[in-house]
Amino acid sequence: MVIGGMNGKVGNDYTGFEEIRGKKEMGKMNGNGEMFANFCASYDLVIGGTIFPHTTCHLETWVSPYLKTENKIDHICISRKFRRSLQEVRVKRGADAASDHHLLVANIKLKLKKHQVGVPERIRYDVKKLRIMTNR
């Protein structure tokens, strides 16, 4: 999983990047966004914020100092293998962080297999052979 302020706008045009992103994005792709998309493609990552449909107020992660411009330049990425574990990615605007960025939150539901270390496998006996031996 990769989380960070990439300062890259991924944009509406997803041609060539269909495997790493969804269709829910805003604006036009910039240079940092293109480098970020290429990074995700080379490491088989999915951009989580592009998958879930939200209103623009829950997509915009950065606000200009004069409150005129808002963009989505912070992203959360996850391996394509764990794409189904990602439940939601959205912006929480109410967090008091003293920053011009809004808080980006992801909900993940991960199921892991139980793995026991040092426990020997259970010995299985052939019950039919044991019954034959005891009947003698």
Side-chain angles (χ1 to χ4, degrees):
M1 179 180 258
V2 178
I3 302 170
M6 314 310 181
N7 291 337
K9 296 193 305 184
V10 182
N12 284 331
D13 185 21
Y14 56 94
T15 311
F17 298 110
E18 295 88 358
E19 295 179 0
I20 65 162
R21 54 167 295 170
K23 298 179 181 180
K24 310 299 180 200
E25 193 58 55
M26 51 187 287
K28 292 178 75 174
M29 183 181 280
N30 64 4
N32 286 347
E34 190 172 348
M35 286 192 297
F36 176 61
N38 288 328
F39 169 80
C40 290
S42 62
Y43 288 99
D44 202 26
L45 299 172
V46 175
I47 303 172
T50 63
I51 298 168
F52 305 101
H54 291 295
T55 59
T56 56
C57 70
H58 291 128
L59 292 175
E60 299 158 339
T61 60
W62 174 80
V63 182
S64 68
Y66 299 108
L67 305 174
K68 300 250 185 215
T69 308
E70 295 184 334
N71 284 315
K72 182 175 182 181
I73 57 174
D74 302 325
H75 302 281
I76 293 178
C77 300
I78 193 165
S79 174
R80 190 180 310 162
K81 178 180 171 183
F82 295 107
R83 156 62 188 96
R84 298 287 174 214
S85 299
L86 198 61
Q87 301 291 309
E88 181 76 63
V89 176
R90 70 183 300 163
V91 172
K92 299 288 185 176
R93 296 176 71 95
D96 185 19
S99 173
D100 56 351
H101 291 260
H102 295 299
L103 183 64
L104 187 62
V105 178
N107 292 342
I108 298 172
K109 185 177 181 181
L110 191 59
K111 290 185 177 181
L112 300 174
K113 287 185 177 180
K114 186 175 180 181
H115 182 70
Q116 296 177 350
V117 179
V119 177
E121 286 189 35
R122 198 169 108 194
I123 300 171
R124 299 196 180 264
Y125 296 102
D126 190 358
V127 179
K128 290 180 184 176
K129 287 183 181 178
L130 288 173
R131 285 186 185 151
I132 293 171
M133 292 176 70
T134 55
N135 289 337
R136 287 185 186 182

